[in-house]
Amino acid sequence: MAIYNRHRFVLWLQLVVIWTAAVSLFGYIRHYGWTGQLGVSPEDLIEPWFDVSVGLILGTGYFLIEMLMDRPFFERLSFLRWAAVKLLLILVTMLVFFAIAVYLYPFMNPSVNDLTLREFLFSKLMYLVLVYVSLISLLITLFQRMQRKLGPGILGNMLLGRYHHPREEERIFLFIDLRSSTTIAERLGHVAFSRLIQDCFADITEAVERHQAEIYQYVGDEVILCWKPPPGRRNNNCVAAFFQFVDTLAGRADYYQATYGLQPFFKAGGHLGRTTVAEVGILKRDLAYHGDVLNTTARIQGKCNELEEQLLISAVLADHLQLEKEYTLREYPPVELTGKQENLTVIGVQRPTPLRSG
């Protein structure tokens, strides 16, 4: 929770800095050729205290809108509708802010008494401000969408060319797959099944963000998460993320029953190992991981049904975690994994069932 709140604080701070810079840039641009109309001195637009104050207000307002738009109801809208609702909220917030500013301005500057709210709101300056705010908001939204498309931290690494040449890294992988997917697809039909997968993978978002995971790929009804070891080990994030996802689905059981007539259940397999990561493709550039660790993780997840476990991890991964206090562990004798010459010790991870009183 502390890490999640820290991420929110960082987002708020980033937005305040961005809007402060945007206000400052607008002031400098607007200063040239300004005729002093509407009783507003051009110097007011380039005063540091003014830029920081307005940036703080706009950044905070934008942050609150971001928190609202991150709710599942809005996240499930198409991008066009989502962007339109967000822009409308931003413009309404800006209008309210400027209305309050125009009302208070004569009290802060008694020498100005001829500026009315109507004059300002219907001035060319107001239209210019709204267009400028809309453009800045659009740029922020597009950048955020690119970040979400690629995953946290990946856009920056790609812009810096970090993975232009293959690099070897240690990673934790978690393969999460829908149980009985073939049966469910036959029962629902392809369209309803696709909507089900959309809903399920939308519900994994909070777990991914809270537990610092990266989404590597969506493959059919499977999602692959990965971590660098430090964040993956911290607070057992690579295990806790899966169980939070399970809890989210359980909390929306009524919705899934009413919409699809079933409750989706997922199984998962986790492993830790060396992998090679590199940018691939020209038209659709993406990051790709290569190495035996991915094949092994997939095989571990494939053993869940046979061993009747919801989550299986390798002993290698378990040795890097502190699971004993929070989870019940069951170690299996080395099992044979398809395509592997050596058998591997796997461990079932379960949460203790709370005792019922009485």
Side-chain angles (χ1 to χ4, degrees):
M1 181 63 72
I3 293 175
Y4 187 65
N5 290 334
R6 186 166 70 243
H7 286 174
R8 287 191 168 190
F9 173 77
V10 170
L11 174 60
W12 169 80
L13 187 61
Q14 288 174 337
L15 290 173
V16 169
V17 171
I18 290 171
W19 280 105
T20 299
V23 171
S24 179
L25 177 63
F26 180 83
Y28 279 106
I29 295 174
R30 188 61 184 166
H31 172 71
Y32 295 100
W34 185 275
T35 60
Q37 295 175 354
L38 301 176
V40 180
S41 172
E43 286 77 14
D44 290 339
L45 294 175
I46 56 176
E47 285 290 337
W49 70 266
F50 179 84
D51 297 342
V52 173
S53 299
V54 176
L56 178 64
I57 295 172
L58 295 183
T60 301
Y62 196 94
F63 171 78
L64 295 176
I65 293 173
E66 283 285 326
M67 294 299 99
L68 176 64
M69 297 302 295
D70 273 345
R71 294 179 177 273
F73 172 79
F74 293 106
E75 285 290 345
R76 287 175 170 80
L77 296 176
S78 67
F79 174 73
L80 186 60
R81 292 183 178 181
W82 180 89
V85 172
K86 182 179 179 181
L87 181 60
L88 178 62
L89 290 174
I90 291 169
L91 293 180
V92 170
T93 302
M94 299 303 107
L95 287 173
V96 171
F97 164 71
F98 285 120
I100 295 174
V102 171
Y103 176 78
L104 295 178
Y105 188 71
F107 296 98
M108 297 184 292
N109 191 347
S111 62
V112 178
N113 53 22
D114 59 346
L115 178 64
T116 66
L117 178 62
R118 180 180 178 83
E119 289 174 339
F120 184 80
L121 293 181
F122 290 93
S123 67
K124 292 182 179 180
L125 174 60
M126 188 69 240
Y127 297 141
L128 179 61
V129 168
L130 292 180
V131 171
Y132 184 76
V133 167
S134 299
L135 289 175
I136 297 298
S137 174
L138 178 62
L139 290 175
I140 294 175
T141 297
L142 290 177
F143 185 81
Q144 289 175 327
R145 283 286 159 166
M146 289 176 64
Q147 277 192 315
R148 287 202 168 192
K149 167 65 177 176
L150 297 173
I154 294 180
L155 178 60
N157 287 329
M158 293 184 71
L159 292 176
L160 294 174
R162 179 178 175 84
Y163 299 116
H164 184 68
H165 298 288
R167 295 171 60 95
E168 190 177 31
E169 295 182 348
E170 193 170 42
R171 290 273 176 164
I172 298 171
F173 286 93
L174 188 71
F175 284 51
I176 304 176
D177 184 56
L178 178 66
R179 285 183 180 272
S180 306
S181 57
T182 302
T183 302
I184 294 174
E186 291 176 351
R187 173 181 169 185
L188 295 180
H190 294 299
V191 175
F193 181 73
S194 294
R195 287 200 299 266
L196 171 67
I197 296 302
Q198 283 183 318
D199 281 336
C200 290
F201 289 164
D203 283 336
I204 203 174
T205 303
E206 184 177 357
V208 168
E209 293 179 340
R210 180 161 297 187
H211 297 285
Q212 301 176 275
E214 297 175 15
I215 296 179
Y216 169 40
Q217 281 183 341
Y218 296 104
V219 184
D221 55 7
E222 180 180 68
V223 57
I224 303 174
L225 307 185
C226 68
W227 291 260
K228 291 184 177 179
R233 292 193 303 256
R234 188 181 302 121
N235 300 319
N236 299 318
N237 275 332
C238 59
V239 169
F242 173 71
F243 285 113
Q244 181 175 345
F245 176 44
V246 171
D247 289 341
T248 301
L249 294 177
R252 283 169 48 81
D254 291 343
Y255 166 80
Y256 283 105
Q257 285 290 347
T259 307
Y260 304 104
L262 56 86
Q263 171 65 33
F265 294 98
F266 283 77
K267 56 186 178 180
H271 187 39
L272 166 69
R274 303 293 294 180
T275 181
T276 302
V277 55
E279 293 182 32
V280 295
I282 298 297
L283 296 179
K284 188 180 182 300
R285 190 172 295 272
D286 203 352
L287 288 185
Y289 293 93
H290 306 103
D292 184 66
V293 60
L294 286 97
N295 295 326
T296 302
T297 308
R299 303 296 186 269
I300 292 173
Q301 185 249 89
K303 285 289 180 178
C304 286
N305 288 344
E306 179 183 331
L307 300 178
E308 298 182 348
E309 292 284 358
Q310 191 174 24
L311 173 61
L312 280 174
I313 64 174
S314 66
V316 175
L317 176 56
D319 289 341
H320 286 77
L321 304 174
Q322 303 294 326
L323 300 172
E324 293 78 7
K325 293 183 180 180
E326 299 181 62
Y327 304 95
T328 299
L329 307 181
R330 181 177 180 182
E331 182 174 335
Y332 290 91
V335 297
E336 180 180 353
L337 301 179
T338 305
K340 305 289 294 182
Q341 294 182 353
E342 297 182 1
N343 294 347
L344 186 72
T345 300
V346 295
I347 297 174
V349 183
Q350 302 173 351
R351 287 179 297 183
T353 303
L355 296 176
R356 296 184 179 181
S357 60

